[in-house]
Amino acid sequence: MNEVLVLYYSRHGATEKMANFITRGVESIEGVQARIRTVPEVSEVCESVADSIPESGAPYVSLDDLQECHALALGSPTRFGNMAAPLKYFLEKTSAHWLSGTLVDKPAGVFTSTSSMHGGQEATLLSMMIPLLHHGMIICGLPYSESDLLTTQSGGTPYGASHVAGSDNSNAISDEEKRLCIALGKRLANMVAS
Ligand SMILES: Cc1cc2nc3c(=O)[nH]c(=O)nc-3n(C[C@H](O)[C@H](O)[C@H](O)COP(=O)(O)O)c2cc1C
């Protein structure tokens, strides 16, 4: 069975909710399943090491997950218009895969959650693509045949799925955001369906 790695970081749960809808899209395609993974927090105390198994939620990602999966959906909250440090910290540990070309030609898509509508979703999504391009991945956005892109009053971009969570992070995922998350998962899965 071909697998799409759904790898995300989420402090308050919004990006995690998006990951669940992307997973739903992936698993709607026959013969493809999602492997959901997250990353530990980074600590200001360099010696502090997280437990190897999180207390709840998705397991922590390993370098083997990148090797074994056929496509990647990468999600992060927006932090000052960029991806969050824990996810970037993990990506900076992938040099061996860069050297060996493990990710070359694998499809990848990105998703993000922000508190505000114009708080840098596109900047974050574009910056998340950069390390994936260095790895030789094939970047997969959302096409305008997804008509929600034309009408959404919340998140959703051609660069990837997005969610406007609100200043207290309490907004539910809107119908448009939900459909676009599912569409991104489906699109990645279709690319690796055998
Ligand atoms: C350090 C920091 C920087 C942030 N920067 C932005 C930002 O640039 N634009 C924005 O709209 N929201 C920003 N936020 C808010 C988060 O992106 C938002 O709350 C997001 O929905 C959190 O996702 P999560 O629930 O998956 O953790 C920031 C939050 C933190 C803690």
Side-chain angles (χ1 to χ4, degrees), residues 18 22 73-75 108-113 121-126 128-129 139-144 146 149 152 154-163 176-177 180-185 187-188:
M18 298 181 75
I22 286 169
L74 186 70
V110 290
F111 57 103
T112 191
S113 174
Q121 295 192 339
E122 283 93 344
T124 301
L125 294 171
L126 289 168
M128 290 173 75
M129 292 174 190
I139 302 298
C140 166
L142 282 164
Y144 272 95
E146 297 297 336
L149 286 179
T152 180
S154 50
T157 84
Y159 310 104
S162 64
H163 168 53
E176 291 83 358
E177 291 170 341
L180 290 167
C181 285
I182 291 172
L184 183 62
R187 195 164 193 224
L188 288 167

Side-chain angles (χ1 to χ4, degrees), residues 88-106:
K88 185 144 189 300
Y89 183 74
F90 170 72
L91 289 176
E92 288 184 14
K93 292 189 286 187
T94 59
S95 303
H97 282 330
W98 174 73
L99 280 168
S100 61
T102 310
L103 297 174
V104 170
D105 287 346
K106 290 186 180 181

Side-chain angles (χ1 to χ4, degrees), residues 9-16 77-81 113-116 118-120 163 165-166 169:
Y9 168 72
S10 183
R11 167 82 64 87
H12 300 292
T15 313
E16 182 176 40
T78 287
R79 296 266 169 97
F80 302 125
S113 174
T114 54
S115 60
S116 56
H118 302 292
H163 168 53
N169 229 33

Side-chain angles (χ1 to χ4, degrees), residues 65-86:
D65 291 319
L66 287 177
Q67 171 126 34
E68 289 161 9
C69 286
H70 303 83
L72 171 68
L74 186 70
S76 173
T78 287
R79 296 266 169 97
F80 302 125
N82 213 314
M83 82 174 92

